Amino acid sequence: LPLSQITALSNNTSTSGTVENVSVGSIIFGNIGDDNGFFVGASDIDIYRFTPTTTARVTIRASANEAFNADTFLRVFNANGTEIAFNDDENALTRGSGIQIDVTAGTQYLIGVNGASPQARNYNPLTGAGAANGSQGDYVLSIFTSSNHQPDFNGDGETDILLTNPSQGWNTAWLMNGTNYVGFSNLFGS
C-alpha cells in the first residue's frame, strides 16, 4: 500500500486518519499490533483524543485481562504532545496500565497505548517518531471518574465483581448480568 493509505488506516499519530475520540464512560477494545485489520507489528501505537466535558479527576486504564493480551504502556499528553503522565503496570498483579489525572473541561488530551518495552516512552504522539517494538495483543481502554466507575471486565455494560488473593498472586473477575453470575475471567499478572 502507498504510505498515504497506510496513514489513513492507522491511529499511530494524533493526525492519523482513524484516531478515535473517547469520553468519560468509554470502553474501547484495542489491539497493539493491528490497526483496522492492517498489520502494524510490535511498534504499533494507538492514539485516542479525549476532550472532557467537565473538570474532574479521571482514571484511564489500558487493561490486559487475559493470558495472551498485551502488556500495555499508557501515556497521556496535552494537545501539543507534551507528556503529562505515564504508567507501565498499574500494580504488581497486572500487565495493564492505569493513570489518574485531573482534567479540565474543554481541553484536548491525547492518550497513547503501546506495548511495554524499555523504549516504550520514546515515541512522539504527533509524529510517531521513536516508536519502539513492544508487547502485542488485545487490551481494553476505559475512562471513568470515581462517580461513574463500575468495574466491567468484559465490556458488556454490566457491573462485574473482582476477587483477589494477593498472597497467592491471582485475580479473578466474576462476570455478571445484573445479580446473576454468568462466568469468570482470570486476570493475569506480569
Side-chain angles (χ1 to χ4, degrees):
L1 289 175
L3 183 58
S4 62
Q5 285 182 317
I6 293 171
T7 301
L9 295 173
S10 172
N11 62 355
N12 288 345
T13 71
S14 64
T15 58
S16 297
T18 60
V19 172
E20 190 169 349
N21 291 312
V22 295
S23 59
V24 170
S26 289
I27 298 175
I28 309 294
F29 294 89
N31 181 284
I32 299 169
D34 180 277
D35 286 345
N36 296 309
F38 180 73
F39 177 76
V40 178
S43 64
D44 187 24
I45 306 163
D46 291 346
I47 300 288
Y48 300 89
R49 263 189 219 93
F50 172 49
T51 306
T53 57
T54 59
T55 298
R57 175 166 281 241
V58 298
T59 299
I60 303 168
R61 286 200 171 115
S63 303
N65 296 335
E66 298 293 335
F68 299 104
N69 284 170
D71 181 355
T72 62
F73 194 92
L74 180 63
R75 297 174 73 193
V76 177
F77 308 88
N78 67 20
N80 296 322
T82 302
E83 184 181 82
I84 298 170
F86 70 94
N87 180 259
D88 183 2
D89 295 327
E90 187 171 15
N91 60 54
L93 300 176
T94 181
R95 294 174 299 160
S97 306
I99 295 172
Q100 279 193 340
I101 61 169
D102 294 319
V103 296
T104 304
T107 301
Q108 181 177 289
Y109 300 88
L110 301 172
I111 300 170
V113 182
N114 62 321
S117 77
Q119 297 82 30
R121 198 171 165 203
N122 292 350
Y123 70 87
N124 180 319
L126 305 180
T127 66
N133 287 345
S135 174
Q136 296 181 75
D138 294 332
Y139 66 90
V140 178
L141 179 72
S142 59
I143 305 171
F144 52 87
T145 63
S146 58
S147 64
N148 77 348
H149 172 58
Q150 300 296 326
D152 181 9
F153 295 99
N154 60 348
D156 66 355
E158 298 287 337
T159 301
D160 299 319
I161 300 170
L162 175 65
L163 306 170
T164 64
N165 185 331
S167 66
Q168 294 187 9
W170 59 259
N171 295 307
T172 297
W174 279 6
L175 308 177
M176 307 296 287
N177 183 358
T179 59
N180 298 317
Y181 169 85
V182 295
F184 72 93
S185 178
N186 289 318
L187 310 177
F188 293 91
S190 53

